[in-house]
Amino acid sequence: MNGSSVLVVEDEALILLDIQSALEEAGFLVVAANSAALAIEAFDADPQSFKALISDIRLGSGKTGWEVARHLRQANSALPVIYISGDSDIHWGAEGVPGSVMIAKPFAVVQVITALSTLLNQHVPASPPPSQN
Amino acid sequence: MNGSSVLVVEDEALILLDIQSALEEAGFLVVAANSAALAIEAFDADPQSFKALISDIRLGSGKTGWEVARHLRQANSALPVIYISGDSDIHWGAEGVPGSVMIAKPFAVVQVITALSTLLNQHVPASPPPSQN
Amino acid sequence: MNGSSVLVVEDEALILLDIQSALEEAGFLVVAANSAALAIEAFDADPQSFKALISDIRLGSGKTGWEVARHLRQANSALPVIYISGDSDIHWGAEGVPGSVMIAKPFAVVQVITALSTLLNQHVPASPPPSQN
Amino acid sequence: MNGSSVLVVEDEALILLDIQSALEEAGFLVVAANSAALAIEAFDADPQSFKALISDIRLGSGKTGWEVARHLRQANSALPVIYISGDSDIHWGAEGVPGSVMIAKPFAVVQVITALSTLLNQHVPASPPPSQN
Amino acid sequence: MNGSSVLVVEDEALILLDIQSALEEAGFLVVAANSAALAIEAFDADPQSFKALISDIRLGSGKTGWEVARHLRQANSALPVIYISGDSDIHWGAEGVPGSVMIAKPFAVVQVITALSTLLNQHVPASPPPSQN
Amino acid sequence: MNGSSVLVVEDEALILLDIQSALEEAGFLVVAANSAALAIEAFDADPQSFKALISDIRLGSGKTGWEVARHLRQANSALPVIYISGDSDIHWGAEGVPGSVMIAKPFAVVQVITALSTLLNQHVPASPPPSQN
């Protein structure tokens, strides 16, 4: 129900690999995408299978990380979202989604793992159907 | 969907009246109960109609405020909860529910209104069904 | 430097008046606008004079409250933002800006005042120029 | 145990009166002081009787609001502290105490009441002696 | 005074070992218990020696994780508490203690370490006896 | 702009080395200083190159960690600050700076890394110059 995979979107191959390796070593399942189009395609194929999004802002041509996050939040309004950026962090206040985290480059990968763990741990479980218990 | 009424449970008539008056003057609809049994009866009759609980801890014979809150949270796991107490606040760490607020007597009624407003404003809306928007 | 006025945008005249009166009675200066276009015009004429935005989501034809907030945050990325909505709150996760508050109708006006006060009080002052003090 | 009075320190008589009146109308007991020396004297005479400090930064000759807050926190390390200032807010990051709130002038008095209520409501009760319950 | 050990309660041996190994590798002292009875016995023998509780909810016959946490919070009302559960997370709103964290299975062990570190770092030191300093 | 190095101040050589090694392994650049004087000298030579301070409280003769933090916050009022201490944590409420974290000895180094990552991730980007975007 919470999904099992973390979707990572980054068009620079080396940074994508770095984040993917670190997350997998920390015990997370990762779906890596090097473009917005591939990320959205993977998500739309099975929205329930994802538990978080980590996205760069500038993703070459096509949609930006801001747009990827909004698309995913349409389907899952509480999906944890982490943005990574070298120069777009000043636009986070206008373009980010509520409850998201912005990590400015250069960053240590442990910052991404800490942000991801913290957002997952804050995830409030949904209300159960009424009961008398 | 968020409910419209605030349930206030307090067995001291004057304090109950004080809180009820202040909340109504501030624009809230209030259902007042002077015992745990009446509070639970009112809630169970229509759980969807309540948006928050404000409860004293010691309520004479019958259930305590701790038990009233747990009963309501079984039906609505994210219901805002505010406890008021003169001498039971030291047990909040063991008996309170997550995300609740404990206000120690003596208190100014504006503390109750601020706690209620803050908890209602933090209420994260539920996720909509998936869409392509 | 923090601005002095609160910009309130709401296309229903009675609700706009209610909020404006309550804020003014509480000691705030208010600029009221009944359309997105008027709100943006007022803001763009003097961005420095505003300290917060309170906006309904559906504003008739023209821009939505989501778009008004993003426009203002382009100029002031830390501007406190409060949304008010009867049926659009489920889209807050996708369309809201970071750090904003969503208040669902029906609400008590004191919730708006509490949200506004809380956001203004959280406003971290900017760093001063380096000194040896 | 939590104390019953709020200590307000402000050397401008009119502002002091404004805050005192608003707090009393909201149901708080207030001890008003128009200098740092008087504030510290009142506090040291009975530290247990105070539940919060609200202080201007510049207080004429003598100690500043920064120093008053540190003095009080020596005796009560969790005392809620609210600073008010026209031009010293940029030094809050260096001179303020942890968990304090800085409110920049000009402000609406409701901001002070909201900050005070919020800090008092966050006050975590002390641990009780071990029991088997 | 803060205690030195983390108490981990989990009736599935492999998961218990996983968590214990990861915590010890991260530098924490761990006391592992595979039942509620053993956990409570260990705690009651020396409550001051523990700094946090990590507990599964379903623990076979005997008490649940909810009950273990309440028992420990009776003796130490601010003890950091982390729950782990595969299917009981929907009851956290009713059965959890204030300030606790719920981590839903499946999880990465780094989420537990992040939650533990964060709760320990938030631990506000107790007030010292009054001094003139 | 955010700086690239973390300044660590600790007069016990072994603890300093432990923290430095762990931070570097986690991907951070570290400037290590074994006295307040060296720390301040390094910072003042290039304030823009630092992104955070981690400091012990007792640093032998000379300034304390409290004073080091205040000195750095004069130049950068939002600099993330983490204190480490064996016996001075009870003074944090009086001597600490706003938004800082106090970690009591003994601690696991992962607590320092989590606190550092969390504070860096909370760093709100500065407002950009007004634009029409």
Side-chain angles (χ1 to χ4, degrees):
Chain A
M1 185 178 298
N2 267 329
S4 56
S5 300
V6 177
L7 181 54
V8 182
V9 199
E10 167 66 74
D11 63 341
E12 296 178 55
L14 286 181
I15 298 182
L16 180 57
L17 195 59
D18 258 11
I19 298 177
Q20 179 174 10
S21 305
L23 289 177
E24 288 176 349
E25 196 179 323
F28 294 101
L29 289 178
V30 175
V31 172
N34 64 10
S35 76
L38 284 172
I40 286 175
E41 188 182 344
F43 182 84
D44 285 351
D46 187 5
Q48 307 296 342
S49 68
F50 291 95
K51 66 185 347 171
L53 167 70
I54 299 171
S55 181
D56 190 18
I57 301 303
R58 294 176 183 246
L59 297 166
S61 60
K63 295 193 171 180
T64 63
W66 307 125
E67 292 168 300
V68 172
R70 277 191 214 123
H71 181 89
L72 273 55
R73 280 278 183 98
Q74 294 287 348
N76 180 348
S77 66
L79 189 81
V81 170
I82 299 166
Y83 303 106
I84 294 170
S85 176
D87 58 358
S88 303
D89 59 324
I90 53 171
H91 298 300
W92 179 67
E95 300 294 335
V97 292
S100 61
V101 172
M102 164 56 78
I103 300 179
K105 296 180 185 172
F107 59 87
V109 174
V110 72
Q111 290 179 244
V112 179
I113 292 174
T114 300
L116 178 60
S117 295
T118 301
L119 290 175
L120 291 172
N121 292 348
Q122 286 171 345
H123 215 76
V124 178
S127 184
S131 83
Q132 261 64 248
N133 176 346
Chain B
M1 184 180 298
N2 265 330
S4 56
S5 299
V6 177
L7 180 56
V8 183
V9 198
E10 167 67 74
D11 63 341
E12 297 179 53
L14 285 181
I15 299 183
L16 180 57
L17 194 61
D18 258 12
I19 298 176
Q20 178 174 9
S21 306
L23 289 177
E24 288 176 350
E25 196 179 324
F28 294 101
L29 289 179
V30 175
V31 172
N34 64 8
S35 76
L38 284 173
I40 287 175
E41 186 182 345
F43 182 83
D44 285 351
D46 188 5
Q48 307 296 342
S49 68
F50 291 95
K51 66 185 346 171
L53 168 70
I54 299 171
S55 182
D56 191 18
I57 301 304
R58 294 175 183 247
L59 296 167
S61 59
K63 296 195 171 179
T64 63
W66 307 125
E67 293 168 300
V68 173
R70 277 191 215 120
H71 180 90
L72 273 55
R73 279 279 183 97
Q74 293 288 348
N76 180 348
S77 67
L79 188 81
V81 170
I82 298 165
Y83 303 107
I84 292 169
S85 177
D87 58 358
S88 302
D89 60 323
I90 56 171
H91 297 299
W92 178 67
E95 300 294 335
V97 292
S100 61
V101 172
M102 165 57 77
I103 300 180
K105 298 180 184 173
F107 59 88
V109 174
V110 70
Q111 290 179 245
V112 180
I113 292 174
T114 299
L116 178 60
S117 296
T118 301
L119 291 174
L120 290 172
N121 292 348
Q122 286 171 346
H123 214 76
V124 178
S127 184
S131 83
Q132 260 63 249
N133 176 347
Chain C
M1 185 180 296
N2 266 329
S4 56
S5 300
V6 177
L7 180 55
V8 182
V9 198
E10 166 66 72
D11 63 342
E12 297 178 53
L14 285 180
I15 299 182
L16 179 57
L17 194 60
D18 258 12
I19 298 176
Q20 179 173 9
S21 307
L23 290 177
E24 288 176 350
E25 196 179 325
F28 294 101
L29 289 179
V30 175
V31 171
N34 64 9
S35 75
L38 285 172
I40 287 176
E41 187 182 345
F43 183 83
D44 286 351
D46 188 4
Q48 308 295 342
S49 68
F50 292 95
K51 66 187 344 173
L53 168 70
I54 298 171
S55 182
D56 189 18
I57 301 303
R58 294 176 182 247
L59 296 166
S61 59
K63 297 194 170 180
T64 63
W66 308 126
E67 292 169 300
V68 172
R70 278 192 213 119
H71 181 90
L72 273 56
R73 280 278 183 96
Q74 293 288 349
N76 180 348
S77 68
L79 188 81
V81 170
I82 298 166
Y83 303 106
I84 293 170
S85 175
D87 57 359
S88 302
D89 59 324
I90 55 171
H91 297 299
W92 178 67
E95 300 294 335
V97 292
S100 61
V101 171
M102 164 58 77
I103 300 180
K105 296 180 186 172
F107 60 88
V109 174
V110 71
Q111 290 179 243
V112 179
I113 292 173
T114 299
L116 178 60
S117 296
T118 300
L119 290 174
L120 290 172
N121 292 349
Q122 286 172 346
H123 215 77
V124 178
S127 185
S131 84
Q132 261 63 248
N133 176 352
Chain D
M1 184 178 297
N2 265 329
S4 56
S5 299
V6 177
L7 181 55
V8 182
V9 199
E10 166 68 72
D11 63 341
E12 297 179 53
L14 285 180
I15 299 183
L16 180 57
L17 195 60
D18 257 12
I19 298 176
Q20 179 173 11
S21 306
L23 289 176
E24 288 176 349
E25 196 179 325
F28 295 101
L29 290 178
V30 175
V31 172
N34 64 9
S35 76
L38 285 173
I40 286 175
E41 187 183 343
F43 182 84
D44 285 351
D46 187 4
Q48 307 297 341
S49 69
F50 291 95
K51 64 184 349 170
L53 168 69
I54 299 171
S55 181
D56 190 17
I57 300 304
R58 295 175 182 248
L59 297 165
S61 59
K63 295 194 171 180
T64 63
W66 308 125
E67 292 168 299
V68 172
R70 276 190 216 122
H71 181 90
L72 273 56
R73 280 278 184 97
Q74 294 287 347
N76 180 347
S77 67
L79 189 80
V81 171
I82 299 165
Y83 302 106
I84 294 170
S85 175
D87 58 359
S88 302
D89 59 323
I90 55 170
H91 297 300
W92 178 67
E95 300 295 334
V97 293
S100 62
V101 171
M102 165 56 77
I103 300 180
K105 295 181 186 171
F107 59 88
V109 175
V110 71
Q111 289 179 245
V112 179
I113 292 174
T114 299
L116 178 59
S117 296
T118 300
L119 290 174
L120 290 172
N121 292 348
Q122 286 171 345
H123 216 76
V124 179
S127 183
S131 84
Q132 260 65 248
N133 176 346
Chain E
M1 184 178 299
N2 266 330
S4 56
S5 299
V6 177
L7 180 55
V8 182
V9 199
E10 166 67 72
D11 63 341
E12 297 178 53
L14 286 180
I15 299 183
L16 179 57
L17 195 61
D18 257 13
I19 298 176
Q20 179 173 10
S21 307
L23 289 176
E24 289 176 349
E25 196 179 324
F28 295 101
L29 289 178
V30 175
V31 172
N34 63 9
S35 75
L38 285 173
I40 286 175
E41 189 182 342
F43 182 83
D44 285 351
D46 188 4
Q48 307 295 341
S49 69
F50 292 95
K51 66 184 348 169
L53 167 70
I54 299 172
S55 182
D56 190 18
I57 300 303
R58 295 176 182 246
L59 296 167
S61 59
K63 295 194 171 180
T64 63
W66 308 125
E67 292 168 301
V68 173
R70 278 192 213 120
H71 180 90
L72 273 56
R73 281 278 183 96
Q74 293 286 348
N76 181 348
S77 67
L79 189 80
V81 170
I82 299 166
Y83 304 105
I84 294 170
S85 175
D87 57 359
S88 302
D89 59 324
I90 55 170
H91 297 298
W92 178 68
E95 300 294 335
V97 293
S100 60
V101 172
M102 164 58 77
I103 300 180
K105 296 180 186 173
F107 59 88
V109 174
V110 71
Q111 289 179 244
V112 179
I113 293 174
T114 300
L116 178 59
S117 297
T118 300
L119 290 174
L120 290 172
N121 292 348
Q122 286 171 346
H123 216 76
V124 178
S127 184
S131 83
Q132 261 64 249
N133 176 349
Chain F
M1 185 179 298
N2 265 329
S4 55
S5 300
V6 177
L7 181 56
V8 183
V9 199
E10 167 67 72
D11 64 341
E12 297 178 54
L14 285 180
I15 298 182
L16 180 57
L17 195 59
D18 258 12
I19 297 176
Q20 179 173 11
S21 306
L23 289 177
E24 288 175 350
E25 196 179 323
F28 295 101
L29 289 178
V30 175
V31 172
N34 63 9
S35 75
L38 284 172
I40 287 175
E41 187 182 344
F43 182 84
D44 285 351
D46 187 5
Q48 307 295 343
S49 69
F50 292 95
K51 64 183 350 168
L53 168 71
I54 298 171
S55 181
D56 191 18
I57 300 304
R58 293 174 183 250
L59 296 167
S61 61
K63 297 195 171 179
T64 63
W66 307 125
E67 292 168 301
V68 173
R70 276 191 214 119
H71 181 91
L72 273 57
R73 280 278 184 96
Q74 294 286 348
N76 180 349
S77 67
L79 189 80
V81 170
I82 299 166
Y83 303 106
I84 293 170
S85 174
D87 58 358
S88 302
D89 59 323
I90 53 169
H91 297 299
W92 178 66
E95 300 294 337
V97 292
S100 61
V101 172
M102 164 57 77
I103 299 179
K105 296 179 185 173
F107 60 88
V109 174
V110 70
Q111 289 179 244
V112 180
I113 293 174
T114 300
L116 178 59
S117 296
T118 300
L119 290 174
L120 290 172
N121 292 347
Q122 285 171 347
H123 216 77
V124 178
S127 184
S131 83
Q132 261 63 249
N133 176 348

